[in-house]
Amino acid sequence: MPETLTIMDNRTGRTFEVPIEEGTIRATALREAKVGEDDFGLMSYDPAFLNTASVRSAITFIDGDRGVLRYRGYPIEQLAEQSTYLETAYLLLFGELPTNAALARWSDEITHHTFLHENVKSLMQAFRYDAHPMGMLVSAVAALSTFYPEASQVDDSAIRMRQVVRLIAKVPTIAAWSFRHSRGLPYVYPENDLGFVANFLSMMFRIAEPKYLAEPALERALEVLFILHADHEQNCSANAMRSIGSSKVDPYSALAGAAAALYGPLHGGANEAVLKMLTEIGTVKRVPEFISRVKAGEGRLMGFGHRIYKNYDPRATILKQVADEVFEVTGRNPLLDVALELEKIALEDGYFVSRKLYPNVDFYSGLIYQALPVAMFPVMFAIPRTAGWLAQWLEGIQDPEQKIARPRQVYTGADERAYVPIDERRSATLAVTPGA
Ligand code: CMC
């Protein structure tokens, strides 16, 4: 059976064959379909990349129909159970799990880059008292490029890796300081004898105690959350990271762009919407009425459904267990019962079953983060995703097939027309009413 696709152009009657590699055809192969010598050739139109692979990647594998997620081949369930965030970050970035010695070196490197230049602190302190922490994070990460001008040398592998270490080490410090700022609390400096997650918790919550020691169960829960959120292949923010990085700008600027993409409610903000929905439902008794409203088209069941997963999101399964472990320490969140009842009813209901709508990662993560202000949710997502963004960026920047990202368009505007002097214009439709 030949691994080719035969295409017949009915406009010309011409037939041509296109090779099929790894389940894809090259979009540029369609250019052979032309109606004349001057014709540019056929393009594919794919808004939101619904059926377009933009990269070949060896980092993260998802089988959405079977609910499978693997980093570098390792199932997410095994990593969540046995790995740490720093080890997982190493795996994503370098392709293999580290040896003891490599992990010790890697942890040491990260630990010794967690401090920020005092001017970054001043910059963050200049924000308004009620600044959104994600806006602060995006801005502070972008500002880092001005502190490390060498970062613009993206073709130098040693320089690239230095920025990778800095970003993984410094983003938690920025994140914690954005939280402290929102509370009007002094910023807490990193502590080198604490692990990655313990240090982050200390920078978030330490008040007057000489040493902040996090509750071990909560520290482990956050470690698992960080592992689960470390990468998710070509999502909106990873695509932004690669696209901006393809211009060969420094990784701080590219990562600020990726974090900006994550800021959007359709990406990093869904867990906030879940929490809002659970609070509005309020009690288990009101769940059936809410489900009926969703089925009638009056709103969505937030935290359900996914563009890729048409099965239970494996991260949601793990988070359900994590939620139980967290609530054992913090006390049971009554909204968990509302969430469990929603899930139970939805998984048996024809509306959700026929549309393959299952809980996604955001269904339980909002509940776990409930002790934090919702504005911190995307920030908590950005900390671990930094590893994924950087792994995607490194892969893209070293891929000889990649060029500056530059999509085509189907132009739908006016045909050529002559400029009309202002006094001769009879009418004009303003797209935007000034002042509106
Ligand atoms: N509740 C009720 N109906 C839904 C839901 C939902 N959560 N999600 C999809 N549907 C229905 C939708 O109305 C449509 O029905 P019909 O065929 O009758 O028109 C059908 O299912 C297909 O939906 P779609 O909007 O075409 O699917 P999509 O792949 O474009 O959207 C989604 C995926 C995640 C945006 C959507 O499922 C959704 O809005 N879910 C709720 C928000 C949410 O939880 N988002 C977090 C996503 S995971 C985190 C991340 O990756 O950043």
Side-chain angles (χ1 to χ4, degrees):
M1 190 169 68
E3 284 290 302
T4 59
L5 179 74
T6 303
I7 297 177
M8 161 97 140
D9 187 344
N10 292 322
R11 299 170 303 175
T12 58
R14 241 196 92 227
T15 298
F16 61 103
E17 224 170 299
V18 173
I20 298 176
E21 294 160 14
E22 300 169 293
T24 64
I25 59 161
R26 296 259 164 179
T28 46
L30 297 175
R31 296 259 283 267
E32 248 195 81
K34 294 176 188 236
V35 287
E37 267 310 298
D38 298 341
D39 188 0
F40 177 79
L42 204 62
M43 291 192 299
S44 59
Y45 173 58
D46 190 10
F49 300 109
L50 289 186
N51 198 40
T52 295
S54 59
V55 301
R56 297 179 75 249
S57 179
I59 302 169
T60 291
F61 173 80
I62 301 176
D63 181 337
D65 290 330
R66 291 194 299 130
V68 172
L69 169 61
R70 299 184 201 128
Y71 297 158
R72 301 282 187 185
Y74 293 103
I76 193 68
E77 293 81 3
Q78 292 182 23
L79 292 167
E81 201 181 320
Q82 298 174 60
S83 187
T84 60
Y85 170 68
L86 268 196
E87 184 185 67
T88 299
Y90 183 102
L91 172 70
L92 287 168
L93 289 159
F94 301 106
E96 294 297 339
L97 286 168
T99 59
N100 263 323
L103 183 59
R105 242 189 351 262
W106 173 241
S107 305
D108 191 64
E109 282 266 314
I110 300 295
T111 304
H112 288 93
H113 285 86
T114 49
F115 270 70
L116 292 168
H117 192 291
E118 283 293 290
N119 286 3
V120 178
K121 186 175 162 193
S122 316
L123 184 111
M124 292 185 73
Q125 283 171 327
F127 276 91
R128 257 181 68 131
Y129 69 96
D130 60 351
H132 195 295
M134 194 62 177
M136 290 180 70
L137 181 120
V138 169
S139 312
V141 168
L144 286 183
S145 78
T146 66
F147 290 83
Y148 307 108
E150 62 163 13
S152 63
Q153 295 171 55
V154 295
D155 290 325
D156 182 314
S157 63
I159 291 179
R160 270 200 309 261
M161 286 321 295
R162 250 197 320 270
Q163 318 318 314
V164 165
V165 167
R166 284 183 177 136
L167 272 162
I168 290 182
K170 292 179 199 303
V171 164
T173 313
I174 294 174
W177 287 5
S178 71
F179 171 70
R180 303 288 293 198
H181 188 86
S182 69
R183 290 280 154 110
L185 289 166
Y187 299 179
V188 176
Y189 287 101
E191 296 228 20
N192 284 0
D193 59 337
L194 294 176
F196 187 86
V197 174
N199 175 50
F200 172 67
L201 289 169
S202 160
M203 291 189 291
M204 289 280 285
F205 300 119
R206 188 169 151 203
I207 304 287
E209 58 276 53
K211 189 109 203 149
Y212 180 87
L213 291 176
E215 168 68 47
L218 298 184
E219 186 183 330
R220 180 62 203 163
L222 192 55
E223 188 98 53
V224 173
L225 274 150
F226 281 1
I227 293 169
L228 299 184
H229 283 91
D231 193 48
H232 211 229
E233 52 118 306
Q234 306 312 313
N235 53 80
C236 178
S237 56
N239 181 57
M241 182 82 195
R242 283 188 179 253
S243 185
I244 300 170
S246 75
S247 74
K248 298 220 168 177
V249 74
D250 68 87
Y252 302 101
S253 304
L255 203 130
L262 187 69
Y263 198 173
L266 293 187
H267 192 5
N271 47 10
E272 176 180 345
V274 172
L275 207 56
K276 196 161 160 257
M277 171 190 78
L278 294 176
T279 310
E280 273 166 21
I281 299 172
T283 64
V284 169
K285 262 205 314 230
R286 294 183 55 198
V287 168
E289 175 204 325
F290 178 79
I291 295 274
S292 303
R293 287 217 313 270
V294 169
K295 285 162 65 177
E298 298 167 30
R300 290 199 162 191
L301 174 47
M302 299 313 288
F304 258 66
H306 197 277
R307 173 66 59 77
I308 305 286
Y309 293 116
K310 299 303 167 197
N311 202 324
Y312 215 109
D313 179 338
R315 300 168 299 173
T317 317
I318 300 167
L319 280 185
K320 203 171 162 182
Q321 288 167 17
V322 171
D324 279 338
E325 285 156 26
V326 166
F327 296 148
E328 254 176 50
V329 177
T330 61
R332 194 177 171 83
N333 183 333
L335 292 181
L336 178 65
D337 293 324
V338 177
L340 290 171
E341 184 68 7
L342 270 174
E343 183 189 326
K344 187 169 140 267
I345 296 186
L347 290 181
E348 288 165 1
D349 191 295
Y351 175 94
F352 298 92
V353 173
S354 64
R355 289 169 178 79
K356 300 188 174 167
L357 300 171
Y358 294 88
N360 61 48
V361 69
D362 292 314
F363 196 62
Y364 289 105
S365 64
L367 280 176
I368 299 174
Y369 284 145
Q370 211 202 350
L372 294 171
V374 287
M376 275 300 285
F377 289 8
V379 175
M380 298 301 289
F381 193 153
I383 298 168
R385 187 52 64 85
T386 297
W389 288 329
L390 290 166
Q392 300 286 345
W393 172 71
L394 284 174
E395 193 178 62
I397 208 111
Q398 293 174 89
D399 181 347
E401 268 206 304
Q402 289 293 338
K403 291 174 186 289
I404 186 164
R406 195 351 182 144
R408 296 270 171 188
Q409 65 166 6
V410 178
Y411 176 69
T412 61
D415 208 345
E416 183 179 343
R417 48 188 177 161
Y419 181 81
V420 183
I422 196 158
D423 296 337
E424 293 171 26
R425 293 174 210 161
R426 281 209 297 270
S427 70
T429 311
L430 293 175
V432 181
T433 313

